[in-house]
Amino acid sequence: MKAVVITQPGGPFVLQIAERPVPVCADNEVLIKVMAAGVNRPDVFQRKGNYPPPAGAPQDIPGLEIAGIVAEIGNTVTHLMVGDRVCALVVGGGYAEYCNVPQEQCLPIPGSLSFIEAASLPETFFTVWSNVFDRGDLKDGETLLVHGGSSGIGVTAIQMAKALGHTVYVTAGSDDKCRFCEQLGASKAINYKTENFADVIKEATNGKGVDVILDMIGGDYTAGNIQSLAVEGRLVLINTMKGNNVQIDLAQVMRKRLVITGSMLRSREVAFKGKIAHELLTTVWPLLVSGDIKPVIHSVFPATDAAKAHELMESSAHIGKIILNFEQR
Ligand SMILES: NC(=O)c1ccc[n+]([C@@H]2O[C@H](COP(=O)([O-])OP(=O)(O)OC[C@H]3O[C@@H](n4cnc5c(N)ncnc54)[C@H](OP(=O)(O)O)[C@@H]3O)[C@@H](O)[C@H]2O)c1
């Protein structure tokens, strides 16, 4: 098969097309003929050599989410058949014509969504559900602040939380991105380049603060996050793009009884991912079928242009998802 491989750590153009063997399908796995693969920021970190894949994952083929057709099933697979249209969360190897994945990590393509649209779902939907609703325990009537509102993660978090009845605030890096986030359902989008988000959150919540913050920025955002949380608030970290080492006022953590937590999805066990898949299927997939939540696709590149897709992601000019198309090779 053809695959997009990382030939060496470096810039976007280290991504090259190469021949690789079709993966062997283990007992509990299905082999998927990939029609489209989502591009995620962690793929960029992996390409640069800063995010090594877990043991057992394809080491030089990036890609954490795919959509396609089941081409083969393992001996113990019970609930998928050859020919099924699925999307799947994978531990790596998504930028390829074929990819194997445990059956638990597959979900049906919701409604009439295309392969391109379906490939945009798994990584951000699993991550947002797991961190905002499970780990962050966002409860009925509670409010959410999402940093990076126009990111792939951000557009999913806005729509999922809004559709489930929550008030959502976001930060983003331009007025255009802010307007887009508000059209998508955010009550208020804060341009972090021109406004102090903690001041705006304080005013917008009448001094109360928000109940949950989903943060991918870390660094000097952390003090503002602590300040912006309500009593009993939860800060959930999914990355620290502005750095790991921070100074915070621990007295505020005690005074407001805050929880600071975080997680990384990729290395978690299959059963954990299967549990999220089940929760998404029952709670969120109906909202995709009804159109209350819509995929937000910014650009689609042929798989042969994976380097251009990474260049775009690193420019941060995109809003929503970037997809590689494996149908038009
Ligand atoms: N822990 C997990 O399990 C997990 C899983 C998936 C993703 N993630 C993380 O979630 C984040 C989003 O992923 P994605 O695929 O959705 O990426 P993405 O679409 O590329 O979004 C990242 C956004 O972050 C903003 N940004 C970048 N550098 C920044 C900085 N220094 N300060 C402030 N904002 C900055 C940019 O928007 P602006 O123009 O608005 O600045 C950019 O659009 C990534 O950091 C990724 O590693 C974590």
Side-chain angles (χ1 to χ4, degrees), residues 124-125 146 148-160 180-181 184 293-296 319-321:
T124 65
F125 278 68
V146 181
S150 65
S151 66
I153 291 280
V155 297
T156 296
I158 293 169
Q159 293 194 85
M160 209 189 279
F180 186 91
C181 292
L184 210 53
I293 299 178
K294 293 187 174 67
V296 179
I319 294 178
K321 296 286 298 190

Side-chain angles (χ1 to χ4, degrees), residues 75-240:
N75 292 329
T76 59
V77 168
T78 49
H79 61 273
L80 284 169
M81 283 166 43
V82 170
D84 283 352
R85 288 160 49 91
V86 294
C87 55
L89 180 79
V90 298
V91 75
Y95 292 11
E97 289 181 310
Y98 289 91
C99 186
N100 53 340
V101 55
Q103 59 174 337
E104 293 90 338
Q105 292 169 215
C106 296
L107 282 158
I109 293 183
S112 59
L113 294 195
S114 66
F115 289 119
I116 298 282
E117 290 170 319
S120 78
L121 304 176
E123 177 68 9
T124 65
F125 278 68
F126 277 70
T127 301
V128 170
W129 181 265
S130 168
N131 287 286
V132 173
F133 293 94
D134 276 348
R135 187 156 289 277
D137 193 24
L138 187 67
K139 293 190 267 298
D140 285 352
E142 289 193 330
T143 52
L144 173 69
L145 167 63
V146 181
H147 292 301
S150 65
S151 66
I153 291 280
V155 297
T156 296
I158 293 169
Q159 293 194 85
M160 209 189 279
K162 168 83 177 173
L164 294 172
H166 300 277
T167 299
V168 188
Y169 305 99
V170 302
T171 60
S174 74
D175 288 343
D176 284 350
K177 287 183 171 184
C178 285
R179 294 300 78 75
F180 186 91
C181 292
E182 288 176 349
Q183 280 160 15
L184 210 53
S187 296
K188 182 152 192 61
I190 305 157
N191 181 344
Y192 68 82
K193 290 185 178 156
T194 57
E195 292 177 290
N196 178 309
F197 77 82
D199 291 345
V200 180
I201 290 294
K202 186 175 179 187
E203 194 186 322
T205 60
N206 296 320
K208 175 177 181 280
V210 293
D211 298 296
V212 175
I213 299 178
L214 181 66
D215 186 26
M216 58 184 76
I217 308 296
D220 63 8
Y221 272 41
T222 312
N225 285 336
I226 303 281
Q227 199 184 322
S228 299
L229 280 171
V231 170
E232 307 272 2
R234 287 84 72 196
L235 169 60
V236 190
L237 290 154
I238 57 168
N239 199 0
T240 52

Side-chain angles (χ1 to χ4, degrees), residues 229-273:
L229 280 171
V231 170
E232 307 272 2
R234 287 84 72 196
L235 169 60
V236 190
L237 290 154
I238 57 168
N239 199 0
T240 52
M241 287 196 285
K242 287 186 89 179
N244 294 327
N245 298 313
V246 299
Q247 192 158 10
I248 57 168
D249 178 359
L250 291 172
Q252 284 199 61
V253 176
M254 294 186 286
R255 215 176 290 126
K256 294 201 275 184
R257 302 184 296 280
L258 304 180
V259 173
I260 301 175
T261 181
S263 75
M264 289 178 179
L265 177 65
R266 189 178 190 182
S267 52
R268 297 301 300 271
E269 64 281 10
V270 171
F272 176 82
K273 292 171 181 168

Side-chain angles (χ1 to χ4, degrees), residues 1-6 15 18 20-24 30-38 40 42-43 46 51-54 56-67 88-101 105 123 266 303 324 326:
M1 68 171 186
K2 294 213 170 6
V4 177
V5 304
I6 302 170
L15 296 175
R20 286 289 183 276
V22 172
V24 176
V30 297
L31 181 70
I32 295 175
K33 179 168 171 37
V34 177
M35 296 298 178
N40 292 280
D43 307 342
Q46 180 177 341
Y51 187 49
Q59 295 298 299
D60 66 347
I61 309 174
L64 300 173
E65 59 185 350
I66 54 175
L89 180 79
V90 298
V91 75
Y95 292 11
E97 289 181 310
Y98 289 91
C99 186
N100 53 340
V101 55
Q105 292 169 215
E123 177 68 9
R266 189 178 190 182
L324 298 180
F326 278 83

